[in-house]
Amino acid sequence: MSQTLHFLNEHSLAFPDPHFALSEPNGLLALGGDLSPSRLIEAYANGIFPWYSQDEPIMWWSPDPRAIIPTSDIRVNKTLRKFLKKMDYRITCNYAFEEVISQCADAPFRHEETWIVEDMQVAYHSLHKLGHAHSIEVWQDKQLVGGLYGVAINGFFSGESMFYQAPNASKVALLALSQLLSSHDINFIDCQINNPFLASMGAIEISRDEFIQQKNTAIKTSLPSGVWHPRELYLTT
């Protein structure tokens, strides 16, 4: 299939086939459109996500290869396992979505310009209110010290970003998410693009075709209605 950069029609939510995405930059599929909940849900349902910086047009991506973490193979090394046994963190789901996304946008370790611009934050707040965007929070002494957020369509969870302000807090959030999904027979977390941190936690790269197959299976998997209700989560160590 030939690679062609597409411009989205503001009067249609349709996206081009992900196989039209460019090889360079890897995965760039389309420009334009908007960040309405309907368009975002359509994008994620097709394995496409927005990623752009301030003063740029909205860019839509479907990279090849794709990074995922198999929930059965998330990596807990000896150091992390020892930490988990003595940690005093509390873990919650959907207690502080807006604070998590704000912290992710301003994470001190992020040296490059953030892609979580104000319009993106507003858009994901809307998705959260509709029950399609969720957060995992890590607390210490009532202070939010780590977390992550992402988009879920049935059993398909696409992670967007994470942050930490205390040792291993983002790892704890990721492990909690993995165990939550695994407990409902969900086999993977979509990580979009790999990086050293994700690789250290067990992320692997698979082809776009294999990812789409797994994504389609996950989307067809219904989860119990209470999975994303605000509540405390507990790790199995």
Tab-separated table of all heavy atoms in Angstrom, residues 30-32 51-60:
chain	number	residue	atom	x	y	z
A	30	ALA	N	-1.804	11.396	9.320
A	30	ALA	CA	-2.734	12.449	8.890
A	30	ALA	C	-2.508	13.723	9.694
A	30	ALA	O	-1.928	13.701	10.781
A	30	ALA	CB	-4.179	11.972	9.062
A	31	LEU	N	-3.005	14.818	9.124
A	31	LEU	CA	-2.961	16.117	9.782
A	31	LEU	C	-4.370	16.690	9.863
A	31	LEU	O	-5.217	16.397	9.022
A	31	LEU	CB	-2.081	17.092	8.995
A	31	LEU	CG	-0.611	16.754	8.788
A	31	LEU	CD1	0.045	17.826	7.914
A	31	LEU	CD2	0.117	16.634	10.111
A	32	GLY	N	-4.581	17.538	10.878
A	32	GLY	CA	-5.830	18.286	10.940
A	32	GLY	C	-6.908	17.617	11.770
A	32	GLY	O	-6.640	16.812	12.645
A	51	TRP	N	-0.414	13.322	18.455
A	51	TRP	CA	0.859	13.665	19.103
A	51	TRP	C	1.449	14.852	18.354
A	51	TRP	O	1.819	14.725	17.184
A	51	TRP	CB	1.794	12.456	19.048
A	51	TRP	CG	3.087	12.610	19.796
A	51	TRP	CD1	3.334	13.388	20.876
A	51	TRP	CD2	4.312	11.919	19.516
A	51	TRP	NE1	4.632	13.237	21.295
A	51	TRP	CE2	5.261	12.340	20.477
A	51	TRP	CE3	4.685	10.978	18.556
A	51	TRP	CZ2	6.567	11.869	20.488
A	51	TRP	CZ3	5.992	10.506	18.571
A	51	TRP	CH2	6.915	10.949	19.530
A	52	TYR	N	1.492	15.983	19.005
A	52	TYR	CA	1.992	17.192	18.356
A	52	TYR	C	2.366	18.200	19.426
A	52	TYR	O	2.063	18.015	20.607
A	52	TYR	CB	0.933	17.790	17.421
A	52	TYR	CG	-0.291	18.334	18.121
A	52	TYR	CD1	-0.458	19.697	18.321
A	52	TYR	CD2	-1.291	17.477	18.603
A	52	TYR	CE1	-1.581	20.195	18.980
A	52	TYR	CE2	-2.405	17.967	19.253
A	52	TYR	CZ	-2.541	19.328	19.446
A	52	TYR	OH	-3.647	19.818	20.102
A	53	SER	N	3.051	19.258	19.031
A	53	SER	CA	3.484	20.294	19.968
A	53	SER	C	2.691	21.579	19.755
A	53	SER	O	1.982	21.724	18.746
A	53	SER	CB	4.984	20.575	19.790
A	53	SER	OG	5.749	19.419	20.074
A	54	GLN	N	2.849	22.491	20.686
A	54	GLN	CA	2.169	23.778	20.592
A	54	GLN	C	2.514	24.455	19.268
A	54	GLN	O	3.633	24.398	18.780
A	54	GLN	CB	2.594	24.682	21.757
A	54	GLN	CG	1.766	25.940	21.915
A	54	GLN	CD	0.358	25.641	22.416
A	54	GLN	OE1	0.176	24.796	23.289
A	54	GLN	NE2	-0.629	26.318	21.869
A	55	ASP	N	1.511	25.101	18.652
A	55	ASP	CA	1.660	25.843	17.398
A	55	ASP	C	1.892	24.944	16.183
A	55	ASP	O	2.263	25.423	15.117
A	55	ASP	CB	2.793	26.874	17.488
A	55	ASP	CG	2.541	27.902	18.594
A	55	ASP	OD1	1.376	28.289	18.788
A	55	ASP	OD2	3.506	28.304	19.260
A	56	GLU	N	1.679	23.646	16.346
A	56	GLU	CA	1.708	22.723	15.210
A	56	GLU	C	0.282	22.258	14.911
A	56	GLU	O	-0.575	22.282	15.792
A	56	GLU	CB	2.564	21.491	15.525
A	56	GLU	CG	4.046	21.767	15.648
A	56	GLU	CD	4.826	20.495	15.940
A	56	GLU	OE1	4.216	19.512	16.407
A	56	GLU	OE2	6.044	20.498	15.706
A	57	PRO	N	0.026	21.823	13.672
A	57	PRO	CA	-1.279	21.211	13.397
A	57	PRO	C	-1.409	19.898	14.152
A	57	PRO	O	-0.394	19.304	14.556
A	57	PRO	CB	-1.240	20.974	11.882
A	57	PRO	CG	0.215	20.866	11.557
A	57	PRO	CD	0.909	21.828	12.491
A	58	ILE	N	-2.632	19.458	14.375
A	58	ILE	CA	-2.833	18.160	15.024
A	58	ILE	C	-2.271	17.076	14.113
A	58	ILE	O	-2.598	17.011	12.929
A	58	ILE	CB	-4.319	17.907	15.306
A	58	ILE	CG1	-4.880	19.005	16.215
A	58	ILE	CG2	-4.512	16.543	15.969
A	58	ILE	CD1	-6.376	18.919	16.411
A	59	MET	N	-1.400	16.235	14.671
A	59	MET	CA	-0.797	15.143	13.919
A	59	MET	C	-1.302	13.819	14.474
A	59	MET	O	-1.371	13.640	15.693
A	59	MET	CB	0.731	15.196	14.015
A	59	MET	CG	1.344	16.480	13.496
A	59	MET	SD	3.159	16.444	13.645
A	59	MET	CE	3.544	18.151	13.177
A	60	TRP	N	-1.608	12.895	13.571
A	60	TRP	CA	-2.154	11.590	13.937
A	60	TRP	C	-1.180	10.502	13.502
A	60	TRP	O	-0.678	10.526	12.387
A	60	TRP	CB	-3.522	11.385	13.292
A	60	TRP	CG	-4.510	12.451	13.672
A	60	TRP	CD1	-4.735	13.635	13.022
A	60	TRP	CD2	-5.382	12.455	14.797
A	60	TRP	NE1	-5.698	14.372	13.666
A	60	TRP	CE2	-6.118	13.669	14.770
A	60	TRP	CE3	-5.632	11.549	15.829
A	60	TRP	CZ2	-7.073	13.989	15.728
A	60	TRP	CZ3	-6.582	11.872	16.791
A	60	TRP	CH2	-7.291	13.072	16.730
